Amino acid sequence: MNNTIDEQLNKQRINIFKALSDPVRIEIIKYLKNVNDEVICGEVGRFVGISKPSGTYHFKLLEEAGLINVRKSAREKYISLNYNVLDKYVTHFFSNL
């Protein structure tokens, strides 16, 4: 495999596992898995028990890692799990090394 591609894949893996290294972000992922649909950020924040600024921080890290999809509509942001990234980098982590 090309070194540049391999470096990009490693960077993606590192970003994903850094994003998953926080208990709050794990709770966000669990919540999104259970609702299995797109939800408003505020709803997730209330369920997890975090402030809006804290939620913004955690959602940004999850989005940058590619673990969630974010859609803005008017004043609301809707998020959902990005199952493709979860499957590729988390579920099949070992087989993709």
Side-chain angles (χ1 to χ4, degrees), residues 13-14 53 67:
R13 289 180 187 116
I14 290 166
L67 294 168

Side-chain angles (χ1 to χ4, degrees), residues 34-51:
N34 287 328
V35 295
N36 198 27
D37 200 5
E38 191 177 66
V39 293
I40 297 170
C41 289
E43 177 183 329
V44 179
R46 282 188 297 279
F47 179 82
V48 177
I50 55 177
S51 67

